[in-house]
Amino acid sequence: MMDILMYLFETYIHSDVELLVDQDELSDELSRAGFHQDDIYKALTWLEKLAALQDTDDTPYMNDSAVTSIRVYIPQEMARLDVTCRGFLTYLEQIHVLSADTREMVIDRVMELETTEFVLDDLKWIILMVLFNAPGNENAYSQMEDLLYGAEDGYIH
């Protein structure tokens, strides 16, 4: 499913291609690209739920938590997000790329994935997708894009 999400993000969202694509047409295109119909359905549902996070007032993780609060992960989250991933989320909060709300959106989307293998690179893509979808996070999106695409590899003068 991560392959489909990354394909869609790079093809339609990140490349500024027209987003007014019929879901059936999109499914057909993904099938022609070699993706399985069941995985396509799951990926499109995942994206719909990501969009719905912005459209609802009923988001239990949206809160006014104190800046000094600490996120405690439940066992299922710890099984999906290894120490490296959890450390990266904390790092992004510390440098203000993620807020408590966007962090919870990321965790929500990660836990919705049906995968047995989840690595840091996958997490970076999920974070990028969430930040792109969350209004008011343009600067954070840009910073995350730099982290993902390796813009920091150059020399600093």
Side-chain angles (χ1 to χ4, degrees), residues 29-41:
E29 179 186 332
L30 291 169
S31 290
R32 286 190 302 273
F35 297 111
H36 296 289
Q37 194 62 39
D38 192 42
D39 291 334
I40 294 169
Y41 173 76

Side-chain angles (χ1 to χ4, degrees), residues 1 4 33 60 84-85 108 110 115 130 133:
M1 187 161 84
I4 297 173
T84 304
C85 290
D108 177 78
V110 167
T115 183
V130 167
N133 191 61

